[in-house]
Amino acid sequence: MPFWRALRIGSRALADRSGSVALTFGLSAVVLLGLTGGGIDYARLASRRSQLQNAADAGVLAAGNYLKLAVATSAAAKSIVVDTIQAQAAPRTESPYALQVDVADDRTSVAVTVDETVKLAFGGFVGVPTVKVAVRSKARVVGKMRLCLLTLDPLADGAFELEKSAEVTAQDCSLYSNSLSPRGMVGKDNAYARAQTICTAGGFDGARANFAPPPQTSCPPIQDPLKDRAPPPIGACTAIPASANSKRDTSGNLVDQSVTLDPGTYCGGLHITKSASVALRAGTYVMKDGPLIVDKDAAMTGIDVAFYFTGNKGGLLFDKKTTVSLSAPTTGAMAGLLMMEERTVSNPVDPAVLLAALANQTLGPPPPPPTPPPLAATKPMRTYRIISDNARTMLGTLYLPAGRVVIDASKPVADQSAYTVIVAQQVNLYEGPNLYLNANYDATSVPVPKGVGPLSGKLLLSQ
Protein backbone atom coordinates (compact mmCIF):
# COMPACT_ATOMS: atom_id res chain seq x y z
CA MET A 1 0.00 0.00 0.00
CA PRO A 2 1.42 3.45 -0.84
CA PHE A 3 2.53 5.56 2.15
CA TRP A 4 0.08 8.43 1.50
CA ARG A 5 -2.85 6.04 1.45
CA ALA A 6 -1.82 4.33 4.69
CA LEU A 7 -1.35 7.68 6.38
CA ARG A 8 -4.75 8.90 5.28
CA ILE A 9 -6.41 5.74 6.56
CA GLY A 10 -4.63 6.06 9.89
CA SER A 11 -5.44 9.78 10.17
CA ARG A 12 -9.13 9.30 9.42
CA ALA A 13 -9.31 6.55 12.00
CA LEU A 14 -7.61 8.77 14.57
CA ALA A 15 -10.10 11.59 13.99
CA ASP A 16 -12.99 9.17 14.53
CA ARG A 17 -12.99 7.13 17.74
CA SER A 18 -15.43 4.63 16.28
CA GLY A 19 -12.91 3.59 13.64
CA SER A 20 -10.78 1.40 15.91
CA VAL A 21 -10.41 -1.28 13.24
CA ALA A 22 -9.28 1.23 10.62
CA LEU A 23 -6.95 2.83 13.18
CA THR A 24 -5.27 -0.50 13.81
CA PHE A 25 -5.10 -1.26 10.12
CA GLY A 26 -3.67 2.17 9.28
CA LEU A 27 -1.10 2.01 12.03
CA SER A 28 -0.11 -1.52 11.07
CA ALA A 29 0.35 -0.44 7.45
CA VAL A 30 2.62 2.40 8.49
CA VAL A 31 4.68 0.15 10.72
CA LEU A 32 4.89 -2.61 8.11
CA LEU A 33 6.02 -0.21 5.44
CA GLY A 34 8.69 1.07 7.82
CA LEU A 35 7.96 4.65 7.05
CA THR A 36 9.62 6.41 9.94
CA GLY A 37 8.31 9.84 9.03
CA GLY A 38 4.73 8.61 8.93
CA GLY A 39 5.20 6.96 12.32
CA ILE A 40 6.41 10.22 13.86
CA ASP A 41 3.45 12.15 12.45
CA TYR A 42 1.05 9.49 13.63
CA ALA A 43 2.42 9.57 17.17
CA ARG A 44 2.13 13.36 17.25
CA LEU A 45 -1.48 13.14 16.08
CA ALA A 46 -2.34 10.54 18.70
CA SER A 47 -0.77 12.59 21.47
CA ARG A 48 -2.51 15.80 20.43
CA ARG A 49 -5.88 14.13 20.07
CA SER A 50 -5.58 12.62 23.54
CA GLN A 51 -4.64 16.02 24.98
CA LEU A 52 -7.63 17.71 23.31
CA GLN A 53 -10.03 14.98 24.42
CA ASN A 54 -8.87 15.15 28.03
CA ALA A 55 -9.20 18.94 27.99
CA ALA A 56 -12.70 18.75 26.48
CA ASP A 57 -13.78 16.23 29.13
CA ALA A 58 -12.38 18.41 31.90
CA GLY A 59 -14.12 21.47 30.47
CA VAL A 60 -17.62 20.01 30.31
CA LEU A 61 -17.24 18.37 33.73
CA ALA A 62 -16.23 21.69 35.30
CA ALA A 63 -19.14 23.46 33.59
CA GLY A 64 -21.50 20.63 34.53
CA ASN A 65 -20.64 20.99 38.20
CA TYR A 66 -21.33 24.70 37.90
CA LEU A 67 -24.68 24.04 36.19
CA LYS A 68 -25.78 22.06 39.24
CA LEU A 69 -26.16 25.36 41.03
CA ALA A 70 -29.63 26.86 40.81
CA VAL A 71 -28.16 30.30 40.05
CA ALA A 72 -25.98 29.12 37.14
CA THR A 73 -26.08 30.91 33.77
CA SER A 74 -25.39 29.54 30.30
CA ALA A 75 -22.85 32.27 29.48
CA ALA A 76 -20.78 31.50 32.55
CA ALA A 77 -20.91 27.75 31.83
CA LYS A 78 -19.58 28.34 28.31
CA SER A 79 -16.78 30.49 29.69
CA ILE A 80 -15.77 27.72 32.08
CA VAL A 81 -15.50 25.23 29.19
CA VAL A 82 -13.37 27.56 27.06
CA ASP A 83 -11.07 28.58 29.93
CA THR A 84 -10.55 24.97 31.05
CA ILE A 85 -9.74 23.70 27.56
CA GLN A 86 -7.35 26.56 26.85
CA ALA A 87 -5.59 25.96 30.18
CA GLN A 88 -5.15 22.23 29.61
CA ALA A 89 -4.54 22.24 25.85
CA ALA A 90 -3.25 25.62 24.77
CA PRO A 91 -4.03 26.51 21.14
CA ARG A 92 -1.06 26.39 18.77
CA THR A 93 -0.12 29.44 16.76
CA GLU A 94 0.45 27.43 13.58
CA SER A 95 -2.83 25.49 13.92
CA PRO A 96 -5.41 27.17 16.18
CA TYR A 97 -8.46 25.11 17.01
CA ALA A 98 -12.13 26.03 16.80
CA LEU A 99 -14.42 25.54 19.82
CA GLN A 100 -18.18 25.08 19.67
CA VAL A 101 -19.86 25.06 23.09
CA ASP A 102 -23.57 24.35 23.50
CA VAL A 103 -25.56 24.61 26.73
CA ALA A 104 -29.10 23.21 26.82
CA ASP A 105 -31.85 25.78 27.29
CA ASP A 106 -32.81 24.15 30.59
CA ARG A 107 -29.13 24.07 31.61
CA THR A 108 -29.16 20.31 32.11
CA SER A 109 -26.27 19.58 29.73
CA VAL A 110 -23.19 21.13 28.19
CA ALA A 111 -21.37 19.89 25.09
CA VAL A 112 -18.22 20.94 23.26
CA THR A 113 -16.61 20.16 19.92
CA VAL A 114 -12.95 20.93 19.31
CA ASP A 115 -11.65 20.97 15.71
CA GLU A 116 -7.98 21.42 14.98
CA THR A 117 -6.11 21.14 11.68
CA VAL A 118 -2.70 19.70 12.53
CA LYS A 119 0.28 20.25 10.27
CA LEU A 120 2.30 17.12 9.52
CA ALA A 121 6.08 17.10 9.53
CA PHE A 122 6.44 14.57 6.75
CA GLY A 123 3.02 14.45 5.13
CA GLY A 124 3.79 17.24 2.71
CA PHE A 125 6.20 14.97 0.86
CA VAL A 126 3.32 12.70 -0.11
CA GLY A 127 0.58 15.28 -0.60
CA VAL A 128 -0.93 15.11 2.93
CA PRO A 129 0.31 18.35 4.59
CA THR A 130 -2.44 18.53 7.27
CA VAL A 131 -4.95 16.32 9.08
CA LYS A 132 -8.10 17.45 10.86
CA VAL A 133 -8.52 16.22 14.43
CA ALA A 134 -11.97 16.51 16.01
CA VAL A 135 -13.03 15.59 19.55
CA ARG A 136 -16.37 15.83 21.29
CA SER A 137 -17.51 15.67 24.90
CA LYS A 138 -20.82 16.16 26.71
CA ALA A 139 -21.80 16.27 30.36
CA ARG A 140 -25.40 15.84 31.40
CA VAL A 141 -26.67 17.03 34.77
CA VAL A 142 -29.01 14.62 36.53
CA GLY A 143 -30.69 16.54 39.34
CA LYS A 144 -29.61 19.94 40.64
CA MET A 145 -27.22 20.98 43.36
CA ARG A 146 -27.81 24.19 45.22
CA LEU A 147 -25.68 26.25 47.55
CA CYS A 148 -25.15 25.42 51.20
CA LEU A 149 -22.35 27.94 51.77
CA LEU A 150 -21.60 31.11 49.83
CA THR A 151 -19.13 33.85 50.78
CA LEU A 152 -19.93 37.14 49.06
CA ASP A 153 -16.72 39.15 49.54
CA PRO A 154 -15.58 39.87 45.95
CA LEU A 155 -11.84 40.32 46.46
CA ALA A 156 -10.60 39.41 49.94
CA ASP A 157 -8.00 36.80 50.80
CA GLY A 158 -9.53 34.08 52.96
CA ALA A 159 -13.16 34.97 52.37
CA PHE A 160 -13.63 31.29 53.16
CA GLU A 161 -10.88 30.26 55.57
CA LEU A 162 -10.13 27.24 57.76
CA GLU A 163 -7.29 27.01 60.24
CA LYS A 164 -5.80 24.52 62.71
CA SER A 165 -8.13 21.48 62.94
CA ALA A 166 -11.31 23.14 61.69
CA GLU A 167 -13.62 21.13 59.42
CA VAL A 168 -16.62 21.75 57.22
CA THR A 169 -18.75 18.78 56.23
CA ALA A 170 -21.20 19.41 53.36
CA GLN A 171 -21.28 16.16 51.45
CA ASP A 172 -24.49 16.78 49.50
CA CYS A 173 -24.03 20.40 48.43
CA SER A 174 -21.66 23.10 47.26
CA LEU A 175 -19.19 25.40 49.01
CA TYR A 176 -18.66 28.56 46.96
CA SER A 177 -16.50 31.67 47.29
CA ASN A 178 -17.07 34.77 45.16
CA SER A 179 -13.63 36.20 45.96
CA LEU A 180 -11.46 36.76 42.90
CA SER A 181 -8.34 36.78 45.05
CA PRO A 182 -5.74 34.09 44.27
CA ARG A 183 -6.24 33.21 47.96
CA GLY A 184 -10.02 33.54 48.05
CA MET A 185 -10.19 30.14 49.76
CA VAL A 186 -7.60 29.26 52.39
CA GLY A 187 -6.97 25.95 54.14
CA LYS A 188 -4.23 25.83 56.75
CA ASP A 189 -2.66 23.25 59.05
CA ASN A 190 -4.92 20.19 59.41
CA ALA A 191 -8.12 21.99 58.41
CA TYR A 192 -10.42 20.09 56.06
CA ALA A 193 -13.44 20.95 53.90
CA ARG A 194 -15.50 18.14 52.42
CA ALA A 195 -18.38 18.80 49.99
CA GLN A 196 -19.99 17.60 46.78
CA THR A 197 -18.41 20.55 44.95
CA ILE A 198 -16.00 23.27 46.09
CA CYS A 199 -15.69 26.31 43.84
CA THR A 200 -13.87 29.64 44.05
CA ALA A 201 -13.98 32.62 41.70
CA GLY A 202 -10.27 33.16 42.32
CA GLY A 203 -7.79 30.63 43.62
CA PHE A 204 -7.10 28.69 46.78
CA ASP A 205 -4.17 28.59 49.16
CA GLY A 206 -3.36 25.37 50.94
CA ALA A 207 -2.58 21.75 50.30
CA ARG A 208 -4.98 19.81 48.11
CA ALA A 209 -5.42 17.58 51.16
CA ASN A 210 -7.26 20.47 52.86
CA PHE A 211 -10.15 20.08 50.41
CA ALA A 212 -12.13 17.13 49.07
CA PRO A 213 -12.56 17.47 46.17
CA PRO A 214 -9.88 20.07 45.38
CA PRO A 215 -11.51 23.44 44.67
CA GLN A 216 -12.39 24.36 41.12
CA THR A 217 -10.79 27.73 40.43
CA SER A 218 -11.83 30.69 38.26
CA CYS A 219 -15.51 29.89 38.79
CA PRO A 220 -17.84 32.75 37.81
CA PRO A 221 -18.99 34.87 40.76
CA ILE A 222 -22.68 34.43 41.43
CA GLN A 223 -25.18 37.01 42.58
CA ASP A 224 -26.47 37.02 46.13
CA PRO A 225 -29.37 34.55 45.82
CA LEU A 226 -31.27 36.15 48.73
CA LYS A 227 -30.80 39.81 47.81
CA ASP A 228 -34.52 40.28 47.23
CA ARG A 229 -35.63 39.00 50.65
CA ALA A 230 -37.35 41.85 52.49
CA PRO A 231 -36.35 42.59 56.11
CA PRO A 232 -38.91 42.15 58.88
CA PRO A 233 -40.61 45.23 60.38
CA ILE A 234 -38.83 46.94 63.29
CA GLY A 235 -41.26 47.93 65.99
CA ALA A 236 -41.08 49.82 69.28
CA CYS A 237 -38.63 48.61 71.90
CA THR A 238 -39.66 45.48 73.78
CA ALA A 239 -39.02 45.34 77.53
CA ILE A 240 -37.85 42.14 79.21
CA PRO A 241 -40.08 40.86 82.04
CA ALA A 242 -39.22 41.87 85.60
CA SER A 243 -38.47 38.24 86.43
CA ALA A 244 -35.73 38.07 83.80
CA ASN A 245 -32.91 39.28 86.07
CA SER A 246 -32.10 39.11 89.74
CA LYS A 247 -32.26 42.90 90.19
CA ARG A 248 -35.74 43.15 88.69
CA ASP A 249 -34.37 45.80 86.40
CA THR A 250 -36.41 46.08 83.20
CA SER A 251 -34.52 49.08 81.83
CA GLY A 252 -31.77 46.93 80.33
CA ASN A 253 -31.79 43.65 78.49
CA LEU A 254 -29.72 41.56 80.92
CA VAL A 255 -31.24 38.12 81.52
CA ASP A 256 -29.70 36.06 84.34
CA GLN A 257 -32.81 34.14 85.39
CA SER A 258 -34.67 31.34 83.64
CA VAL A 259 -37.53 32.92 81.74
CA THR A 260 -39.62 32.76 78.58
CA LEU A 261 -39.20 35.70 76.20
CA ASP A 262 -41.55 37.06 73.56
CA PRO A 263 -40.60 38.13 70.05
CA GLY A 264 -40.14 41.84 69.44
CA THR A 265 -37.52 44.56 69.02
CA TYR A 266 -34.79 44.43 71.65
CA CYS A 267 -33.15 47.85 71.59
CA GLY A 268 -29.52 47.51 72.63
CA GLY A 269 -29.58 43.77 71.97
CA LEU A 270 -30.00 40.93 74.45
CA HIS A 271 -27.55 39.48 76.97
CA ILE A 272 -28.35 36.04 78.43
CA THR A 273 -25.88 35.07 81.14
CA LYS A 274 -24.99 33.11 84.30
CA SER A 275 -27.10 29.91 84.47
CA ALA A 276 -30.22 31.35 82.89
CA SER A 277 -32.24 28.99 80.72
CA VAL A 278 -34.24 31.05 78.24
CA ALA A 279 -37.04 29.74 76.06
CA LEU A 280 -38.05 31.83 73.06
CA ARG A 281 -41.63 31.94 71.88
CA ALA A 282 -42.19 31.66 68.13
CA GLY A 283 -41.60 34.83 66.15
CA THR A 284 -38.93 37.32 65.05
CA TYR A 285 -36.43 38.82 67.47
CA VAL A 286 -34.91 42.09 66.26
CA MET A 287 -31.54 42.99 67.80
CA LYS A 288 -31.51 46.76 67.29
CA ASP A 289 -28.20 48.57 67.87
CA GLY A 290 -26.86 45.79 70.04
CA PRO A 291 -25.68 42.17 69.89
CA LEU A 292 -27.21 38.88 70.93
CA ILE A 293 -24.87 37.48 73.60
CA VAL A 294 -25.23 34.17 75.38
CA ASP A 295 -22.36 33.56 77.80
CA LYS A 296 -21.17 31.71 80.90
CA ASP A 297 -23.43 28.67 81.50
CA ALA A 298 -26.60 30.10 79.97
CA ALA A 299 -28.90 28.27 77.56
CA MET A 300 -31.22 29.55 74.83
CA THR A 301 -33.74 27.46 72.90
CA GLY A 302 -36.35 28.37 70.35
CA ILE A 303 -38.48 26.71 67.68
CA ASP A 304 -40.02 28.69 64.82
CA VAL A 305 -37.83 31.70 65.64
CA ALA A 306 -35.78 34.17 63.59
CA PHE A 307 -33.25 36.92 64.42
CA TYR A 308 -32.70 40.19 62.61
CA PHE A 309 -29.68 42.39 63.41
CA THR A 310 -29.31 46.13 62.80
CA GLY A 311 -26.83 48.90 63.62
CA ASN A 312 -23.09 49.03 64.24
CA LYS A 313 -23.35 47.09 67.49
CA GLY A 314 -25.34 44.27 65.96
CA GLY A 315 -23.84 40.81 65.89
CA LEU A 316 -23.73 37.63 67.91
CA LEU A 317 -21.60 35.77 70.45
CA PHE A 318 -22.32 32.29 71.83
CA ASP A 319 -19.71 31.57 74.52
CA LYS A 320 -17.99 28.22 75.08
CA LYS A 321 -20.07 26.68 77.90
CA THR A 322 -23.44 27.79 76.58
CA THR A 323 -26.20 25.65 75.08
CA VAL A 324 -27.99 26.91 71.98
CA SER A 325 -30.74 25.15 70.03
CA LEU A 326 -32.62 27.11 67.36
CA SER A 327 -34.96 26.35 64.45
CA ALA A 328 -36.15 28.82 61.81
CA PRO A 329 -39.80 29.71 61.09
CA THR A 330 -41.86 27.50 58.80
CA THR A 331 -44.12 30.32 57.57
CA GLY A 332 -44.23 34.10 57.30
CA ALA A 333 -41.78 36.74 56.07
CA MET A 334 -38.80 35.00 57.67
CA ALA A 335 -39.73 31.47 56.61
CA GLY A 336 -36.56 29.40 56.35
CA LEU A 337 -34.35 32.24 57.65
CA LEU A 338 -32.86 31.66 61.08
CA MET A 339 -30.77 34.84 60.91
CA MET A 340 -30.77 37.93 58.74
CA GLU A 341 -29.18 41.36 59.04
CA GLU A 342 -29.34 44.90 57.78
CA ARG A 343 -27.38 44.81 54.52
CA THR A 344 -25.03 47.69 55.35
CA VAL A 345 -22.86 48.58 58.34
CA SER A 346 -20.36 51.43 58.71
CA ASN A 347 -18.42 50.97 61.97
CA PRO A 348 -19.17 47.56 63.49
CA VAL A 349 -18.19 46.59 67.02
CA ASP A 350 -17.05 43.09 67.94
CA PRO A 351 -19.53 41.62 70.48
CA ALA A 352 -16.55 40.16 72.39
CA VAL A 353 -15.27 43.70 72.94
CA LEU A 354 -18.65 44.80 74.26
CA LEU A 355 -18.76 41.78 76.58
CA ALA A 356 -15.25 42.53 77.86
CA ALA A 357 -16.34 46.05 78.77
CA LEU A 358 -19.24 44.62 80.80
CA ALA A 359 -16.99 42.05 82.48
CA ASN A 360 -14.69 44.78 83.73
CA GLN A 361 -17.60 46.09 85.77
CA THR A 362 -18.30 42.81 87.57
CA LEU A 363 -16.46 39.91 89.15
CA GLY A 364 -16.52 36.60 87.38
CA PRO A 365 -14.73 34.43 84.85
CA PRO A 366 -12.97 36.33 82.07
CA PRO A 367 -14.86 36.78 78.79
CA PRO A 368 -13.59 35.27 75.55
CA PRO A 369 -10.75 37.16 73.85
CA PRO A 370 -11.49 39.49 70.94
CA THR A 371 -12.41 37.77 67.69
CA PRO A 372 -9.38 37.01 65.47
CA PRO A 373 -9.29 39.51 62.59
CA PRO A 374 -9.96 38.34 59.03
CA LEU A 375 -7.07 37.86 56.62
CA ALA A 376 -8.52 40.71 54.58
CA ALA A 377 -11.83 42.47 53.97
CA THR A 378 -13.27 44.75 51.32
CA LYS A 379 -15.77 46.43 53.64
CA PRO A 380 -16.81 46.55 57.32
CA MET A 381 -18.51 43.42 58.68
CA ARG A 382 -20.56 42.57 61.72
CA THR A 383 -19.26 39.59 63.71
CA TYR A 384 -21.32 36.45 64.32
CA ARG A 385 -19.16 34.25 66.51
CA ILE A 386 -19.94 30.76 67.76
CA ILE A 387 -17.58 29.40 70.42
CA SER A 388 -20.24 27.21 72.03
CA ASP A 389 -19.46 23.53 72.35
CA ASN A 390 -23.18 22.78 72.44
CA ALA A 391 -24.68 24.59 69.44
CA ARG A 392 -25.74 21.45 67.68
CA THR A 393 -29.09 22.59 66.32
CA MET A 394 -28.97 25.62 64.02
CA LEU A 395 -31.78 24.72 61.65
CA GLY A 396 -32.37 27.08 58.75
CA THR A 397 -30.50 29.67 56.69
CA LEU A 398 -28.06 32.21 58.10
CA TYR A 399 -28.25 35.16 55.68
CA LEU A 400 -25.62 37.69 56.74
CA PRO A 401 -24.55 39.70 53.65
CA ALA A 402 -22.68 42.30 55.75
CA GLY A 403 -21.48 39.77 58.28
CA ARG A 404 -18.59 37.51 59.11
CA VAL A 405 -19.41 34.10 60.53
CA VAL A 406 -16.64 32.99 62.87
CA ILE A 407 -16.68 29.52 64.41
CA ASP A 408 -13.98 28.58 66.89
CA ALA A 409 -15.68 25.95 68.99
CA SER A 410 -14.00 22.64 69.72
CA LYS A 411 -17.09 20.45 69.27
CA PRO A 412 -19.41 19.89 66.27
CA VAL A 413 -21.69 22.77 65.29
CA ALA A 414 -25.13 22.26 63.71
CA ASP A 415 -24.60 18.50 63.36
CA GLN A 416 -28.07 17.76 64.74
CA SER A 417 -29.79 20.18 62.34
CA ALA A 418 -31.80 18.73 59.49
CA TYR A 419 -30.17 21.38 57.30
CA THR A 420 -28.08 24.53 57.63
CA VAL A 421 -27.24 27.04 54.89
CA ILE A 422 -24.87 30.01 55.25
CA VAL A 423 -24.72 33.04 52.95
CA ALA A 424 -22.34 35.62 54.42
CA GLN A 425 -19.68 38.14 53.49
CA GLN A 426 -17.06 35.82 54.98
CA VAL A 427 -16.89 32.48 56.83
CA ASN A 428 -13.84 31.78 59.01
CA LEU A 429 -13.24 28.69 61.14
CA TYR A 430 -10.53 28.37 63.77
CA GLU A 431 -9.49 25.86 66.44
CA GLY A 432 -11.18 22.48 65.96
CA PRO A 433 -14.88 22.77 65.15
CA ASN A 434 -16.66 20.66 62.59
CA LEU A 435 -19.39 22.72 60.96
CA TYR A 436 -22.05 20.44 59.49
CA LEU A 437 -24.18 21.65 56.60
CA ASN A 438 -26.70 18.84 56.45
CA ALA A 439 -29.34 18.31 53.79
CA ASN A 440 -31.99 16.14 55.43
CA TYR A 441 -34.99 18.02 54.07
CA ASP A 442 -37.46 15.25 54.72
CA ALA A 443 -36.72 15.54 58.42
CA THR A 444 -38.05 19.10 58.79
CA SER A 445 -40.92 21.37 57.78
CA VAL A 446 -38.61 24.41 57.70
CA PRO A 447 -38.49 25.50 54.04
CA VAL A 448 -35.29 26.19 52.14
CA PRO A 449 -35.24 29.73 50.70
CA LYS A 450 -35.29 29.82 46.92
CA GLY A 451 -31.82 29.91 45.40
CA VAL A 452 -29.94 28.11 48.17
CA GLY A 453 -29.87 24.79 49.92
CA PRO A 454 -28.40 21.46 48.87
CA LEU A 455 -30.07 18.94 46.57
CA SER A 456 -28.06 16.06 45.19
CA GLY A 457 -27.01 16.11 41.55
CA LYS A 458 -24.89 13.85 39.34
CA LEU A 459 -22.96 14.23 36.10
CA LEU A 460 -22.96 11.77 33.22
CA LEU A 461 -20.11 12.13 30.71
CA SER A 462 -20.30 11.03 27.09
CA GLN A 463 -17.97 11.56 24.12
Side-chain angles (χ1 to χ4, degrees):
M1 178 183 294
F3 165 72
W4 63 267
R5 186 178 176 193
L7 181 60
R8 284 172 176 164
I9 291 175
S11 301
R12 285 198 301 269
L14 182 62
D16 184 357
R17 268 192 178 173
S18 64
S20 58
V21 175
L23 173 64
T24 303
F25 178 69
L27 179 57
S28 299
V30 172
V31 173
L32 289 173
L33 289 173
L35 300 176
T36 304
I40 293 173
D41 277 338
Y42 191 85
R44 289 180 61 245
L45 284 171
S47 175
R48 183 57 172 170
R49 188 191 189 288
S50 177
Q51 184 184 33
L52 290 173
Q53 186 66 61
N54 291 337
D57 291 347
V60 296
L61 286 173
N65 275 319
Y66 168 70
L67 288 174
K68 291 178 183 178
L69 302 174
V71 291
T73 66
S74 296
K78 291 180 179 180
S79 179
I80 290 174
V81 175
V82 173
D83 291 345
T84 302
I85 292 175
Q86 291 181 344
Q88 295 199 15
R92 297 170 171 176
T93 303
E94 72 277 10
S95 56
Y97 49 64
L99 294 176
Q100 176 63 47
V101 184
D102 296 302
V103 178
D105 291 341
D106 59 1
R107 298 190 297 280
T108 58
S109 68
V110 55
V112 65
T113 300
V114 185
D115 292 316
E116 181 176 272
T117 300
V118 179
K119 290 185 178 180
L120 302 179
F122 298 93
F125 294 107
V126 291
V128 188
T130 61
V131 171
K132 183 178 179 181
V133 175
V135 299
R136 295 171 293 278
S137 191
K138 182 177 182 178
R140 186 161 59 90
V141 181
V142 180
K144 286 284 187 179
M145 181 184 299
R146 299 182 182 179
L147 294 172
C148 56
L149 185 147
L150 170 63
T151 58
L152 298 170
D153 195 309
L155 293 171
D157 291 354
F160 174 65
E161 181 196 11
L162 301 95
E163 293 188 8
K164 298 183 180 179
S165 298
E167 295 185 27
V168 174
T169 300
Q171 292 180 320
D172 295 323
C173 55
S174 176
L175 307 178
Y176 209 106
S177 168
N178 269 354
S179 176
L180 292 168
S181 164
R183 303 178 66 226
M185 279 189 173
V186 174
K188 295 182 179 180
D189 309 314
N190 295 317
Y192 186 58
R194 179 172 52 250
Q196 186 79 21
T197 304
I198 304 176
C199 213
T200 174
F204 72 95
D205 182 8
R208 293 171 71 89
N210 291 124
F211 303 93
Q216 298 177 28
T217 58
S218 301
C219 298
I222 58 179
Q223 289 190 352
D224 178 352
L226 300 175
K227 62 182 177 63
D228 295 326
R229 287 295 293 257
I234 300 175
C237 296
T238 300
I240 62 172
S243 59
N245 66 59
S246 55
K247 295 182 179 180
R248 298 296 190 265
D249 181 3
T250 61
S251 61
N253 288 334
L254 178 68
V255 177
D256 63 9
Q257 303 293 305
S258 296
V259 70
T260 298
L261 296 180
D262 291 314
T265 299
Y266 288 84
C267 299
L270 190 61
H271 182 190
I272 302 171
T273 188
K274 295 185 178 179
S275 299
S277 180
V278 173
L280 304 177
R281 291 193 174 96
T284 299
Y285 293 75
V286 177
M287 300 293 123
K288 182 179 179 182
D289 300 321
L292 171 63
I293 295 176
V294 184
D295 73 335
K296 298 183 179 178
D297 297 309
M300 180 178 67
T301 61
I303 297 176
D304 207 20
V305 298
F307 298 90
Y308 183 73
F309 301 87
T310 72
N312 286 323
K313 293 183 179 180
L316 174 150
L317 174 61
F318 295 158
D319 205 357
K320 189 170 186 63
K321 294 183 178 180
T322 62
T323 298
V324 178
S325 179
L326 301 169
S327 299
T330 57
T331 60
M334 294 288 284
L337 295 178
L338 181 61
M339 297 180 189
M340 186 177 175
E341 68 175 343
E342 187 179 14
R343 289 183 170 87
T344 58
V345 62
S346 58
N347 189 25
V349 181
D350 180 2
V353 173
L354 294 174
L355 184 58
L358 293 173
N360 289 335
Q361 303 171 16
T362 61
L363 296 176
T371 305
L375 290 181
T378 57
K379 65 179 185 179
M381 297 178 288
R382 296 184 186 88
T383 298
Y384 299 84
R385 186 179 180 190
I386 299 175
I387 313 175
S388 173
D389 282 340
N390 195 7
R392 306 185 69 179
T393 300
M394 302 283 290
L395 173 56
T397 298
L398 281 62
Y399 177 44
L400 306 167
R404 176 181 175 228
V405 176
V406 177
I407 301 178
D408 49 3
S410 56
K411 298 291 180 64
V413 174
D415 63 311
Q416 295 181 356
S417 307
Y419 84 85
T420 303
V421 173
I422 299 177
V423 177
Q425 187 72 4
Q426 292 196 18
V427 176
N428 308 142
L429 278 72
Y430 307 101
E431 300 300 334
N434 191 341
L435 171 63
Y436 283 82
L437 302 175
N438 293 325
N440 302 320
Y441 292 109
D442 293 339
T444 179
S445 58
V446 176
V448 184
K450 184 178 179 180
V452 298
L455 181 65
S456 294
K458 296 181 180 180
L459 286 179
L460 298 179
L461 180 66
S462 60
Q463 297 170 339

